[in-house]
Structures are given as structure tokens and as C-alpha cells.
Amino acid sequence: MIVPKTHFLQTKAARTLSLAEVFRMTETEAETAFRKIRWSDTDGEPVCPSCGCIGAYPSRRVTGSPRFRCKAKECRKDFTITSGTLFASHKAPLRTYLAAIAVAMNEVKGKNALALSRDLGMSHKACWVLLHKVREAMAEEFKGRKIGGEGKVAETDGAYFGGYVRPANFKENRRDRRLAANQNGKRQSLVVVRERNGNSVAAVFKSESAALGWIKSRIEKGTVVNADEASGWDGLASKYEMKRINHQEAYSDGEACTNWAESYFSRIRRGEMGHFHHVSGPYLLRYAHESSFREDNRRMDNGAQVRRVTQLALGRGPSVDFGGYYQRHLRVA
Ligand SMILES: [Zn+2]
């Protein structure tokens, strides 16, 4: 009998938090879960975000939503579990937030806002913003991240996103869409650096060659860097030992390969085709971070993933992209 190989995601170890469990929680239990994540040092005891004083009086709103009042005499400020964080001034109950994060993490190639709005009975816009905030939370993971080091191997590669130009209907009107003159200028290059068996970090540029300085700042000296034969990467040879692979001949020649970088792009492309449709424009970097987060943590169980994202969201300041449910500055074309 042939026993199929079990993938990590098919094992029991990968499943530690189900949506059913989240929905069995009371709102108070969800609040406790959020408190323990936000104020982990005090085991959920509120810490005033203004003065840092530990301990607060419960001061629930008339609506029942939790609020605290700082005990320090000279402060006495009111705050909530999400005050000053990415989820500040949230409208939906915290249990719904927890459910939304769980749903987003369970969808291994990313969750689309329309589907989430149907799952949770929330508006499409609220879900769209929430999912972008989840991506903003994930982005915290990549701030200043360096990869590789002495004796380590990394890969780098780039791919183009956006700027799709529809071919003209009649043959005589068609243009060569590969030429810069016939493009719309919206095409962006997404570049990833990834350590083999390790973490990744991605960024967006006008072209691959514009990424060299960034790559050098993110890959530690002493790393062996694998890249394809594209001339854009030649400039890396001054800092690193390079292994180059010609993809027209092989994907791996036993020496060099960029398969770890390729699998990163494969995930974001599948997300683009299956869920997000337009992984481009100003939000390309956000989708890129989401892809990195998912690739790097693909062997983390789902409960731990939800806790990590929540921890990142509560451990940082308010959204750069959105204030409440509204866009702070309109950046989407
Ligand atoms: Zn205070």
C-alpha cells in the first residue's frame, strides 16, 4: 500500500486554533486573549499607554466595550485594549478581529476581502482595511531584518508586477508590449532576498538594477549569493561570492539555484491569480510582506500564527495607511 507523504499542514500539530473555537469564545474571553497579548509582561494587567503606570480602574463604555482609566493621579487618562495600536478605534468586537485574523491565516495563499466579508457578515470595505492592517502588522517582522552571514547561503531574484497593457483588438493596432515606450509606467519590480532554509525579505523598485544597494544592505557579508544570469545582479559580485544559474539551461545545476526565491514568487503569483487579482500599485509592498510572512512561518501552527500577527499589531502604533476605517491618505489609483 502506498502511504501518501503527509504535508505539515495536514498534521494535527499544524492545527491549534479553529474558527469554531474562536466563535465558542465569549467577548470577555476574546478581550482576555487580547489583553494577554498586548500586556504580556503583566499577564494582561493593563498598562497605561500615556504614562506607563501599571493598573487601571475598569471604566466600561455604556455600549459595554472595555475601557480603562489610569490609576496615576496626575494622568487619569482613559484607554482601551487597542489604544495607540494598529487596531485602535476598531468598530467590530474583538472576537470578530480574532476570527478575521484566524480566517486570514488559515487561507495559506491569502484571504480575499470579499470572501472574508461573507464569512463574517462585515462590509467589504471594513474587511479590506482589516486585511491590509494584518499586512501592516506582518511588515513589522521585516524592519531592519538582515539575512545570511558567514557560511550561509542566500538567493535573490526579482519579478515584475502590475502595469498590464491590454493587447489591442485588431492585429494591425497591436504594439510590442515589451518595449518601454509601449508600457504604461505602472510596472514595478519586486525583489526578494531569502536565506536557504531561512527567512526572507522583499522590497519594491522601479527596476531590478535599482535594488542593488538595498540587497547589499540586507544580506550580511560572507554570505554566498545565488542569482540568475540577468546582468542586473552583476554588481553584487563586488561584495559577495556569487553562484549564477542560467535558467534557459537548468533550474538547478547542482551548484547554483534560486528555487527558494522562486517558491516565494510562486506563492505571491498564486495569491495574485486566485485571490487578490491586482497585486500591484501602492499596495504591492504590503502583499510582498504578506507573502514573506507566510513563507517564513509556513511551518508554524495556525494558533501561533494568529498570536504572532496579533502581537505585532498590538505592539506597534496606529496604521500608516488607514485611520479607523478610512484611508488616511488616498494612495490607490
Ligand atoms: Zn497614565
Side-chain angles (χ1 to χ4, degrees), residues 58-100:
S59 166
R60 272 188 195 269
R61 287 207 176 90
V62 279
T63 57
S65 66
R67 190 174 53 176
F68 306 97
R69 179 158 295 163
C70 178
K71 274 186 177 171
K73 241 190 220 129
E74 58 285 3
C75 181
R76 291 275 195 267
K77 286 207 173 79
D78 286 344
F79 60 95
T80 68
I81 300 171
T82 58
S83 281
T85 74
L86 191 57
F87 293 152
S89 44
H90 63 96
K91 311 275 191 302
L94 289 176
R95 195 179 60 157
T96 307
Y97 265 63
L98 211 51

Side-chain angles (χ1 to χ4, degrees), residues 161-183:
F161 284 82
Y164 178 74
V165 180
R166 187 195 285 255
N169 184 21
F170 292 107
K171 192 167 179 247
E172 60 270 27
N173 297 333
R174 290 182 198 161
R175 302 274 177 271
D176 185 346
R177 289 176 292 151
R178 290 167 299 182
L179 298 177
N182 295 329
Q183 288 172 2

Side-chain angles (χ1 to χ4, degrees), residues 255-276:
E255 270 282 301
C257 86
T258 56
N259 291 351
W260 282 77
E262 301 291 341
S263 89
Y264 167 86
F265 284 116
S266 144
R267 185 183 293 265
I268 194 168
R269 286 282 185 215
R270 276 175 293 170
E272 179 188 31
M273 286 183 284
H275 301 280
F276 308 131

Side-chain angles (χ1 to χ4, degrees), residues 124-302:
H124 170 255
K125 187 176 177 184
C127 289
W128 188 82
V129 170
L130 209 158
L131 287 172
H132 266 297
K133 285 186 177 175
V134 165
R135 290 181 194 108
E136 252 188 284
M138 290 172 172
E140 291 297 302
E141 220 56 313
F142 308 105
K143 282 186 179 161
R145 169 180 282 177
K146 302 236 184 197
I147 70 153
E150 208 64 52
K152 303 255 174 72
V153 180
E155 299 177 5
T156 189
D157 202 6
Y160 285 106
F161 284 82
Y164 178 74
V165 180
R166 187 195 285 255
N169 184 21
F170 292 107
K171 192 167 179 247
E172 60 270 27
N173 297 333
R174 290 182 198 161
R175 302 274 177 271
D176 185 346
R177 289 176 292 151
R178 290 167 299 182
L179 298 177
N182 295 329
Q183 288 172 2
N184 61 11
K186 288 183 185 165
R187 199 169 76 150
Q188 300 178 93
S189 178
L190 175 61
V191 173
V192 70
V193 292
R194 187 169 192 193
E195 188 178 320
R196 252 180 226 167
N197 300 305
N199 287 332
S200 63
V201 53
V204 176
F205 302 92
K206 277 265 170 220
S207 70
E208 288 179 358
S209 52
L212 288 186
W214 175 81
I215 295 174
K216 288 179 183 171
S217 73
R218 293 302 189 126
I219 304 183
E220 300 276 18
K221 223 172 159 6
T223 312
V224 176
V225 178
N226 286 249
D228 63 26
E229 293 265 281
S231 59
W233 312 124
D234 290 349
L236 295 173
S238 61
K239 186 170 178 185
Y240 308 103
E241 181 190 335
M242 298 288 294
K243 293 207 189 303
R244 309 293 288 269
I245 178 87
N246 184 345
H247 281 160
Q248 278 173 344
E249 286 166 16
Y251 287 107
S252 169
D253 59 7
E255 270 282 301
C257 86
T258 56
N259 291 351
W260 282 77
E262 301 291 341
S263 89
Y264 167 86
F265 284 116
S266 144
R267 185 183 293 265
I268 194 168
R269 286 282 185 215
R270 276 175 293 170
E272 179 188 31
M273 286 183 284
H275 301 280
F276 308 131
H277 311 306
H278 294 290
V279 177
S280 59
Y283 292 107
L284 177 58
L285 184 63
R286 293 275 182 246
Y287 288 113
H289 283 150
E290 177 179 358
S291 247
S292 271
F293 187 93
R294 289 181 187 279
E295 276 292 315
D296 296 351
N297 298 312
R298 69 199 180 287
R299 290 188 163 259
M300 190 188 261
D301 67 78
N302 66 341

